[in-house]
Every structure is written in structure tokens, then in C-alpha cells.
Amino acid sequence: MSRLIGLGARFSALRLTLLFWLTLLAGVCAAPAYAIDVVPVGPNETVIDLRPAMEVYRNAGRSFQVSAVPGPEGIVRRIEIEANSPQASGNWAVFALTNDSDEQIDRLIVAPHFRLVGSGIFEPDLGSQRIAAITPSQGFALERQPSSEADEFLVTLDPGAVVTFVAELTAERLPDVRIWEPNAYRDTVNAFTLYRGIVLGIAGLLAVFLTILFVVKGSAMFPAAAALAWSVLAYICVDFQFWEKLVAFQAGQEPIWRAGIEVSLLFTLVLFLFAYLNLNRWHGILSVFAVVLLSAIAGLGVLAAFDPVLASGLARVSLAATALLGLGAILTLALQRFDRAIMLLPTWCLLIAWLWAGWMTVTGRIDNDIIQPALGGGLVLIVLLIGFTVMQHGFAGGTLAQGLVSDLERRSLALAGSGDAVFDWDILRDRIFADGESDTLSSLPVDSMNGPARNWLPILHPDDRDRFKLTLDTIIEHRRGRIHQDFRVRDADGHYHWLALRARPMLGSDGEVMRCVGTLKDVTALKKAEERLLQDALSDQLTGLPNRELFKDRLDAISVLATSRADVSPTVFVIDLDRFKQVNDDYGLATGDTLLLTVGRRLNRTLRPQDTLARLSGDQFGLILVSESTPDGVAAFAERLRDAIRAPISFAEREIVLTGSIGLTGWSGEQSPQEALKEAELAMYQAKRMGGDRIEPFRPAYKTISSSRLALETDLRRAFERSELSLAFQPIVDLESETIAGFEALMRWEHPRRGAISPAEFVPIAESSGLIVELGQFALDEATKRLSDWQRATGNSKLFMSVNVSSRQLISQDLIADVEAALKRYRIPPHTLKLELTESLVMDNPERSAQLLTKLRDRGIGLSLDDFGTGYSSLAYLMRFPFDTLKIDQSFLRHNAQPQRPIILHSIVTMAHDLGLKVVAEGVESESDVVQLRQLNCEYAQSFLFSPPMTREAVRRVLVEGETMLRRSA
């Protein structure tokens, strides 16, 4: 028996041990209790944040099991809870509390329905019930306390107890859960109650006050400001939980109300900004934009009823965007001195700061209990400042802003606003009253102007006195009419001011004039402006000389005088400065104006009083000579004009020498003044064509030259379209092997009626008309195209082509681009293209030329100095520019009888070789020249001795088919 009893005892112990381990294993599998931190609650603890010690189980279903934290006895209990709330989310929160004290403790577990901190921007948490019920591991479920702001549960903890609590959650988020000492929690709530009441009272009074102002004042800014104030009041009511005390929220309605209020705040802020700044005053499109924008915001309000989270997120982002765009508009208008924008700028900056603090709050960067009510108070402060701003504008005008003025007051205000002075002449007493307080008469002797009419006579300009008396007498005599007179009045310093008198007579009962009442206005500035306009219409603004219109008028007058008097025989001159455009390019327009002024003064000093000098256009002057009529006298005068222009002008430590082309024509009595001026211009153009710096009298043949020149220019413009232009190619021969090394491209024009036209005839016309750039582009493109063909046909990639460059091309910005495009288009090596420039062309603008030639040289393009020896021929200039080839002018190879010829030729070739330049000799006439050039190691020659210019077909036959060139014998 004793053995049976021992076995039973052992079996019981084994069963208890097995039960313990099974229970422990089940607890581990369900929810390990050791994962939960037990929160100690003492009698001195006022508030404890439970979020760090909570375990949240999401999507656990409506039935939940969890193992409790072991109590003092070490027993692990199992808790199983069924969800009771129909809004149960399937989420559960577990936490544990322990009372380490010797006394029983009562505490409140509080979970606020809404907390701005950490609520988010794009998918904000707009508040809802957080906890449906809390079940402890022992005892009954916690008792819910009545509260509209939070879920409050009263819990009692016995001494030494360790209790695990399971909270049934009804929302996805649980932003804040704390355990409070009840009295401390009530004190905290009551502490904010006073603050909230004050803020609500201020917001309500402000909304009502602005609404009253809207009724009193008719400006659009007042209803907009009142609407904004009401929106802020609604936001405060919802945020401070005051709205729930007025209107009971149904389950799930709180997010809709909160989202709707945020959309309303955005709507009224945009409305106020447009109305206050009056953005649509000058731009009607802004009115359409405002209507569209407000309609979109209203649609956002409708969205809040269906998807409050999305509507609130869009409203928060739009509110920040509105604040930033509004700040830009305010700053722009403030810089334009718009008073409303300047007044609103501090308040709008405060709004930007409020939005920044709100962003820091909703993103969780600021986390305390004070920030949410502080933001509500800050919003009320912003609206309060807006109210002060609109009130200042609304009452700035006093009673005048309301239009409560009589017709007499309105006329008085209009007169004061115009700034005119009052003129009142009491005819019966002969007393004139002039308003001395007006700005118009501030600098005039008002004392002399007040009194009898005769007091005005000493201060009036002598030329205006009789007219002033006649005007006043005529008004009295005719008893009707109006006075519209301008006259001059002398001030204390002796200066005269123009006054405009506008007045009308006032008749008495007997029909006689009793008074004459009107206004006085200082129009001195207007009169001076009229004088300047008249001066500008007849005179040149720079030199002060007569302009072309006045010159023609004087020419007409002198022609009439010449027709009636035999002793008057005028001569018409037209003077044009040579290459003055180059002066402007080199020294600038300001220097050019100074030189024109100097030349104008010099020419003017050569005249006598009866002569006339005028500036006809930019650098062109016209002159009518009457003081000299004999041929010798006119010729001597023309030479004096030429010398006056050629005299050096000192400027900026340098001397500038100008020359002029002078054309003149005598008065025959048969031509009209306009024909005489045209004849002088034709003579001037002929002088310019002949090189400038010369005096050219008019000849009848110049009319034919002018007309043929114009016709030739017209034909040249059409020559591009009709394909009349072509290139001829003159070979450049290697003297060592007497083979073709390259070609020079020469322009040819085959006119359909006139036949071949020499380049010497049409190139100057192209330069003067601007067609030279198109000719240059044509030559460059055609030459590179032919060179590419010949290089591919012969396989000789060293074959080169020389192309002439004009002055217009050299100063053009497109020359480098045109050359690079031609090289790329026809795929030829850059060094096989050589650009030829003359010395005079390069020295017209040495600085510009040096820069451009260096850029071309850096790209590998060959540069050849043409006609060396005919221009500056300066070694310093030659070293300055990056040429690689020197072409000796043909004049050095002619006139074999000159003994200096071999010496000069030897010097030029030696100098070129020392500078690393290759030499091309032009105009080789004989075999002896060839021998001499070979002895000098001259590389190339180009002349009719080897070959005349050839067509492209002839060149191809020579290069490809091996046809030989004939060389003339000496």
C-alpha cells in the first residue's frame, strides 16, 4: 500500500510538472509575456507615457489571445478577449502596469481623439475614437469615463499587483496614450480651458466686428477678411473641441468636419489675397484665374465629405503653396510701391512662420502639449493683424471715402487736386485775387498779383502786357466768351514763368460782368518742352546746326533770292567724311560724336554770316555758299574746307586724321533747289568713288554714271538668282617643279546683255550696297567645293585654293562659322584653304583683324597677305598678324629697267623667309624672272606666263586628264 501511495504521489508531481511546461509552451507560442515591459506606477507619478511600453498587434481579428505578465507568484495567465465594438479594427494593444507601493492607486488611462503633432501632411490623421475598451488580466473591464476629447478609462491598482491590459483599438493609429493621476489630468485640462476661452472670444469678436465693417463699408476686402475670420473661428472651435459641445458628432464625422474647415481656411485665404491686393484691377485674366482656382477649392470641399483624408492633405499642401505664391506677389507689388502690399507684408511673413511651425508640428519635429493650442492662438493673431490692416485702409479716407460730399465740395476737391491756383477778378472793385497758397504761384510775387489789375503790368513780360489788357477789356465789353491766354510773369530773381489763365465772366442781374473767375497754371515746363521739340525739328541735336529739312527750306529761300538778283550766285556743297564708320568701330560712338562736333565747328568757322552749314545725315554735311561767287573764290573756299577736315584732331593722347569727299555744284538758275542738292550729292559720290579726300565739281555725266550704277546694282542682285556668277581659277605654280600647287579663285560675272563685266566694276558696287558678303559666301562655297572634287579626283590632298576676303566679311561675326561650315561640308584639310587679305584691309581695324586671324590660324586655315608692298609694308605690322604666305605685288616684277628692282625683290623674299613665310610672286613676265625667282628660292609664281584664269572644266582636264599647260616664252 505504501508503495502505491508513493507511486501516486510521484505521478501527481509528474503531471503538475508536465502541465507547467505545456502552459509555459502555450504562452510562448501565443504571445510571450517577457516581451512586454511592465510600467511601474507609484503614488508620486503624475503622468506616464504608455506608448514606449505598448505592444500593438495589427490585423489580429475580432478574437485575441495573449499571455499575461507573470504576477508576484510567478503564475502566467492566459487572456482571451472578444471584440465588442462594431468599429473594431482587428488591432489590439497590450501593456502591463504594476503598483510597487503599499497603497491602492487610482489612475486614468487617456487616449486623445485628435493630436496635431505627428498627424502628417499627405495622409493626415484627422482624429477618431482610439480605444473601444480595455480588459485587465484580472478583474472586470475598465470603466470608460465621459469625455468628448479623449478615450478615458479609470483603473485601480492594488498594492503589489502586476496587471496586464489588452486595449481593443478602433483606429489604425494610436498617436498618444498616457496614464494620469486624475486630479493632475483635470488640472491640466482646466488650465487650457481658460486659454481656449480667451482665444475663442477674441476670434468670435473679430469675426463679428469684420462682418459689421462689411455692412458699413462697401469695399470687397471687408467681406473677404470677414470670411477669413469666420473660417479661423470655425477652425478654433473644432480644434479646441468646442464645436462638439454645440453639435454632437456622430461616429466617423470628426474627420469630415476637420477636413472641411481646413479647405474653408484655404478658400477664404485665397479670396482675401485676391480681394485685398485687387489683383484683377489691370489684368482681366487674373479674374478668370481666381474664379477657376476658387472653384477648384470648392470642389475640394465637396471631396472632403467623401474622402476627408485626401481633401485635408491637398488642402494643407495648397495652403503652403498659396502662402509662398502670395509672398512673391506681395514682394513684387511692394517693390512697385503698392501701399496695400507694403502694409500686408509683415502679416504675411508671420503667416509663413506659422505655416513653418505647423509643418514642424504635423511632421513630429515639435512634440509637446503646448504647440497645438499655441498654433490656434497664432492663427487668431494673424487674422487680428489682417483686421487692423484692412481697417487702416478702410478708414484712411475718413468721410470722403464714403462719398458724403456735396457738389460744391467735389468741385473744390477737384481744384485742390489739380494743383492750379484760383484767379478771381472782382470787376466792380477792380481787385484780383490770386491764391498764394497754391504750388503754382509759390515762386511768384503774389503780393503784386493781388490787388488792382494794373499791378500785373510791371511783372508781365513787355511783349505780353498789351495782350493781357486787351483780353480783359474784351471780356468786359462783349460780356461773354472765355479767357484762354498764356503769358509770362517775372519772379523775384528776374526769371519769367509761363502762366496759363483759364477763366470765364460771371454776369449780374443787369447783364453786366461782375466777376471773372478761373484758374492759373504754371506751364513753363510745357513751353520749354515745346521749344525743345521745335528746336529738335529744325536743328541737329549733336552739333546744333540746321538739319536737312531746315537746309532745304533755306535752299528754297536763297533760290528765290538768286532768281530775283543777278549778284547772288550760290554754290551748294555736300561733304561726306571718308571711312567714318571705321572710326566708330575703332573708337566707339561717343568718340565719333565728339569728332563730328569738332568737324562741324571747324567747318562753321570757315563761313561768313550769309552762308549756311547744315548736318544732312550721320557724317554728311551740306553747305550753301553765298559769300563767294567767282570760280577762283569758290575753289579757294573748297580747299579751306578740305584743309579744315584734314587738320589732325587730338584725342586721348593720340591724333586722329579725317578726310572728306566734297562735291559741289553752281547755281544755274534753271534747276530746282532739290536738283541742285542732288547734283552736289552725285559729285560727292564720284569723289568718294575716286578714293576720297578730294573736291569734285558736278558734271552732267555723273547723272548717267549714277543711273547706270543703280541699274548695275539691280542686275547684280538678280545675278544670284539667274546663276550669272561663276569662278575662274588661275593656277599657282611651284617654281621648283613647275607643277600646279594650287589655284586662286577669281570672281566672274557674265551679264546677259553687257557680256563679261570686270570685277573692278562690280566689286565696288557690291561693297557699297552690302552685296559683297553674299559674293564672298558664294566664292567660298564654290571654291571649296571645286577643291574637294579635284583633291579626290587626283588623290593630291596638298592641292590648295586661295580665296579673297572682303572688308565686310572681315568685320562680320559669321566669317569663322562660314569657313568651318564649308570645310565640314566638303571635307577638305583646313590647311589647303587659304584666305587672301590685303594690307589696307587688315589695317582698317588692326585689333579686330588680329583677333580674327588668330582664331582662323588656330583652326589650321592658311592666311595669305596679298599685294604686299602697296599698303603699309611695315615689318612690325607683318609680325603682328599670323600669316603663312606672302604675295609680292606684280608692280615689283614689272619695269625691268629699274636698277633697284632686284634689290627690293631680294629684300622682300629674304625678309619673308626669315619670318617663316612662303612667297608667291604675281605678274611674272619673262623667263628671266623665273630664273631670278628660283635663285631667290621663291616658292610659287602666278601669272599669265604660266596660265590665264581657267574654267573649272579646263582645270579638271589639266589635273585629271594630264593636258599640259602652255607657257609663253620670254
Side-chain angles (χ1 to χ4, degrees), residues 476-780:
I476 297 175
E477 179 180 355
H478 292 277
R479 297 189 294 274
R480 66 178 184 273
R482 293 177 180 270
I483 299 177
H484 290 271
Q485 289 292 335
D486 298 340
F487 47 84
R488 287 160 287 184
V489 177
R490 187 181 65 249
D491 61 13
D493 297 331
H495 300 100
Y496 283 96
H497 295 254
W498 280 96
L499 294 182
L501 174 61
R502 304 292 183 265
R504 61 179 296 179
M506 308 294 293
L507 303 180
S509 57
D510 56 356
E512 297 295 328
V513 179
M514 298 179 59
R515 313 180 76 90
C516 187
V517 181
T519 61
L520 287 170
K521 184 176 183 178
D522 192 336
V523 292
T524 305
L526 180 61
K527 288 292 184 179
K528 289 182 178 180
E530 291 177 354
E531 292 176 0
R532 284 195 299 270
L533 289 175
L534 183 60
Q535 180 73 13
D536 294 343
L538 299 176
S539 301
D540 177 58
Q541 296 183 13
L542 175 64
T543 61
L545 298 173
N547 60 12
R548 192 180 190 93
E549 297 302 321
L550 185 56
F551 182 79
K552 289 180 178 179
D553 182 73
R554 293 187 179 179
L555 194 59
D556 291 338
I558 292 178
S559 66
V560 173
L561 186 64
T563 303
S564 59
R565 292 178 53 180
D567 59 333
V568 176
S569 179
T571 303
V572 181
F573 289 78
V574 173
I575 308 161
D576 189 271
L577 301 182
D578 299 327
R579 296 182 298 278
F580 191 75
K581 182 180 182 301
Q582 192 66 42
V583 174
N584 284 332
D585 293 339
D586 292 344
Y587 301 101
L589 295 178
T591 302
D593 290 344
T594 303
L595 297 178
L596 284 175
L597 183 61
T598 303
V599 171
R601 290 174 178 173
R602 288 181 175 181
L603 295 177
N604 202 30
R605 284 196 292 267
T606 64
L607 305 183
R608 293 183 180 178
Q610 59 267 44
D611 302 328
T612 298
L613 177 67
R615 185 185 178 195
L616 303 182
S617 60
D619 59 344
Q620 193 175 102
F621 296 87
L623 192 149
I624 305 174
L625 180 65
V626 180
S627 57
E628 294 287 350
S629 57
T630 63
D632 292 341
V634 172
F637 179 81
E639 287 295 337
R640 289 199 299 272
L641 290 179
R642 183 184 179 190
D643 294 339
I645 298 173
R646 295 175 63 181
I649 301 174
S650 300
F651 183 81
E653 300 182 356
R654 67 177 67 183
E655 288 188 346
I656 300 175
V657 178
L658 300 176
T659 60
S661 298
I662 303 175
L664 61 95
T665 183
W667 187 265
S668 63
E670 297 178 357
Q671 76 270 46
S672 65
Q674 288 74 20
E675 290 176 346
L677 179 59
K678 186 176 181 179
E679 290 176 357
E681 289 178 339
L682 292 176
M684 180 271 295
Y685 285 127
Q686 181 64 20
K688 189 171 287 290
R689 281 193 293 269
M690 297 176 70
D693 190 23
R694 61 186 293 120
I695 303 168
E696 192 68 27
F698 172 75
R699 295 179 176 86
Y702 292 165
K703 291 185 177 181
T704 305
I705 294 175
S706 176
S707 59
S708 62
R709 180 184 177 88
L710 181 60
L712 196 62
E713 179 182 338
T714 304
D715 291 342
L716 181 59
R717 294 182 183 275
R718 297 173 180 172
F720 290 96
E721 304 172 1
R722 298 174 179 176
S723 302
E724 298 172 2
L725 298 171
S726 62
L727 291 183
F729 304 93
Q730 185 170 26
I732 299 176
V733 178
D734 186 333
L735 288 175
E736 183 68 25
S737 61
E738 292 197 9
T739 59
I740 296 177
F743 297 90
E744 179 181 0
L746 303 173
M747 185 67 68
R748 294 292 183 260
W749 181 16
E750 189 69 25
H751 195 279
R753 296 188 308 275
R754 300 176 58 178
I757 298 178
S758 170
E761 185 176 356
F762 70 81
V763 168
I765 295 177
E767 288 180 344
S768 63
S769 62
L771 294 173
I772 192 66
V773 175
E774 295 183 46
L775 284 178
Q777 291 175 344
F778 170 79
L780 179 63

Side-chain angles (χ1 to χ4, degrees), residues 61-273:
R62 295 184 61 85
S63 178
F64 181 70
Q65 296 181 7
V66 70
S67 295
V69 177
E73 67 280 3
I75 299 175
V76 178
R77 292 180 175 83
R78 191 86 176 136
I79 307 174
E80 183 175 355
I81 305 102
E82 282 289 334
N84 296 321
S85 173
Q87 291 86 22
S89 61
N91 300 331
W92 304 82
V94 182
F95 59 94
L97 303 177
T98 181
N99 181 4
D100 295 336
S101 66
D102 297 332
E103 58 184 40
Q104 190 179 60
I105 298 177
D106 292 334
R107 289 292 183 267
L108 277 176
I109 298 176
V110 180
H113 289 172
F114 174 74
R115 194 164 187 261
L116 187 63
V117 175
S119 60
I121 297 177
F122 296 102
E123 293 183 359
D125 182 2
L126 299 179
S128 63
Q129 187 185 51
R130 305 293 178 177
I131 301 175
I134 300 178
T135 303
S137 59
Q138 57 185 7
F140 298 97
L142 274 60
E143 181 181 355
R144 177 185 287 274
Q145 303 298 307
S147 175
S148 61
E149 301 180 7
D151 297 325
E152 300 178 11
F153 297 90
L154 180 64
V155 59
T156 301
L157 299 176
D158 294 328
V162 177
V163 184
T164 302
F165 297 88
V166 179
E168 178 186 344
L169 304 182
T170 58
E172 292 293 331
R173 301 182 186 179
L174 189 61
D176 185 36
V177 180
R178 303 185 191 185
I179 183 167
W180 286 82
E181 196 280 322
N183 292 328
Y185 177 69
R186 304 302 176 196
D187 292 342
T188 302
V189 172
N190 292 335
F192 281 109
T193 301
L194 178 60
Y195 169 78
R196 291 176 175 177
I198 294 174
V199 172
L200 279 170
I202 295 174
L205 287 175
L206 184 60
V208 173
F209 182 70
L210 289 176
T211 304
I212 294 173
L213 285 181
F214 163 50
V215 176
V216 175
K217 309 290 289 184
S219 177
M221 73 175 100
F222 289 101
L228 180 60
W230 284 109
S231 295
V232 170
L233 177 61
Y235 179 85
I236 297 298
C237 288
V238 172
D239 192 56
F240 288 177
Q241 306 295 330
F242 181 73
W243 194 258
E244 297 180 13
K245 296 178 175 59
L246 300 177
V247 179
F249 286 168
Q250 296 180 4
Q253 284 190 341
E254 183 177 354
I256 297 177
W257 282 95
R258 199 174 296 279
I261 292 302
E262 291 182 1
V263 173
S264 173
L265 194 62
L266 171 64
F267 183 91
T268 53
L269 182 65
V270 173
L271 180 64
F272 168 75
L273 186 66

Side-chain angles (χ1 to χ4, degrees), residues 898-968:
Q898 293 182 358
Q900 300 88 351
R901 174 177 170 273
I903 300 174
I904 296 175
L905 201 61
H906 179 271
S907 300
I908 294 176
V909 174
T910 303
M911 177 190 66
H913 286 162
D914 291 341
L915 292 175
L917 305 179
K918 295 183 179 180
V919 180
V920 178
E922 290 185 300
V924 179
E925 297 179 340
S926 64
E927 186 67 29
S928 61
D929 291 339
V930 175
V931 174
Q932 182 181 5
L933 291 173
R934 280 204 190 103
Q935 293 174 352
L936 294 175
N937 295 324
C938 179
E939 288 84 358
Y940 305 107
Q942 173 186 351
S943 72
F944 280 81
L945 179 65
F946 295 100
S947 173
M950 307 164 63
T951 64
R952 67 180 187 226
E953 293 82 4
V955 171
R956 187 174 184 86
R957 288 195 300 270
V958 169
L959 294 177
V960 179
E961 300 175 7
E963 183 176 314
T964 59
M965 294 187 305
L966 297 178
R967 198 179 79 183
R968 298 191 183 105

